[in-house]
């Protein structure tokens, strides 16, 4: 399964697995210069999330805190806290997002 919207591509890495306790996704955020100065849209969902950066650089916003993540970095957080990702630099940011229910 693939979802694509405004510079974001998401592939479900285990769509056929039943009774999952987590949803693994490959995510790619394209660099979009027109979004760099716009306010970031924070989202929430149930459970927890683990993100592992495969390539590129991004900012991860969790509540009022902002983290700069690069290749090899990871973050684990409560996804009921408003959060968002934003590419920094001109290369796409690719990461694995493991969303735990």
């Amino acid at each position: 399964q693939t979802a694509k919207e405004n510079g974001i591509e998401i592939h479900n890495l285990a769509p056929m697995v039943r009774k999952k306790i987590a949803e693994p996704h490959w995510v790619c955020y394209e660099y979009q210069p027109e979004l760099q100065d716009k306010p970031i849209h924070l989202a929430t969902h149930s459970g927890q999330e683990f993100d592992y950066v495969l390539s590129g650089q991004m900012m991860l916003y969790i509540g009022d805190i902002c983290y700069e993540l690069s290749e090899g970095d990871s973050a684990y957080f409560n996804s009921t806290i408003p959060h968002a990702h934003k590419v920094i630099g001109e290369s796409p940011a690719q990461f694995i997002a493991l969303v735990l229910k």
Side-chain angles (χ1 to χ4, degrees):
Q1 289 179 333
T2 300
K4 194 164 188 173
E5 61 179 63
N6 195 23
I8 303 168
E9 188 173 352
I10 302 170
H11 294 277
N12 186 328
L13 297 176
M16 303 303 286
V17 177
R18 295 182 179 171
K19 299 182 182 179
K20 289 181 274 202
I21 60 171
E23 290 284 349
H25 299 279
W26 173 88
V27 184
C28 181
Y29 276 65
E30 295 290 332
Y31 173 72
Q32 296 180 298
E34 67 276 10
L35 298 180
Q36 294 305 304
D37 296 325
K38 291 190 177 180
I40 194 85
H41 172 72
L42 300 171
T44 62
H45 52 85
S46 62
Q48 298 174 333
E49 184 169 332
F50 174 78
D51 294 343
Y52 178 80
V53 182
L54 300 169
S55 64
Q57 294 180 301
M58 66 182 185
M59 299 303 291
L60 172 61
Y61 301 86
I62 305 172
D64 295 332
I65 302 171
C66 183
Y67 302 94
E68 184 175 326
L69 302 178
S70 298
E71 183 177 328
D73 291 338
S74 63
Y76 186 82
F77 56 95
N78 179 339
S79 48
T80 62
I81 298 170
H83 61 281
H85 305 82
K86 183 177 182 181
V87 173
I88 53 177
E90 294 187 16
S91 298
Q94 297 181 40
F95 62 99
I96 298 295
L98 185 64
V99 179
L100 299 118
K101 298 179 181 184

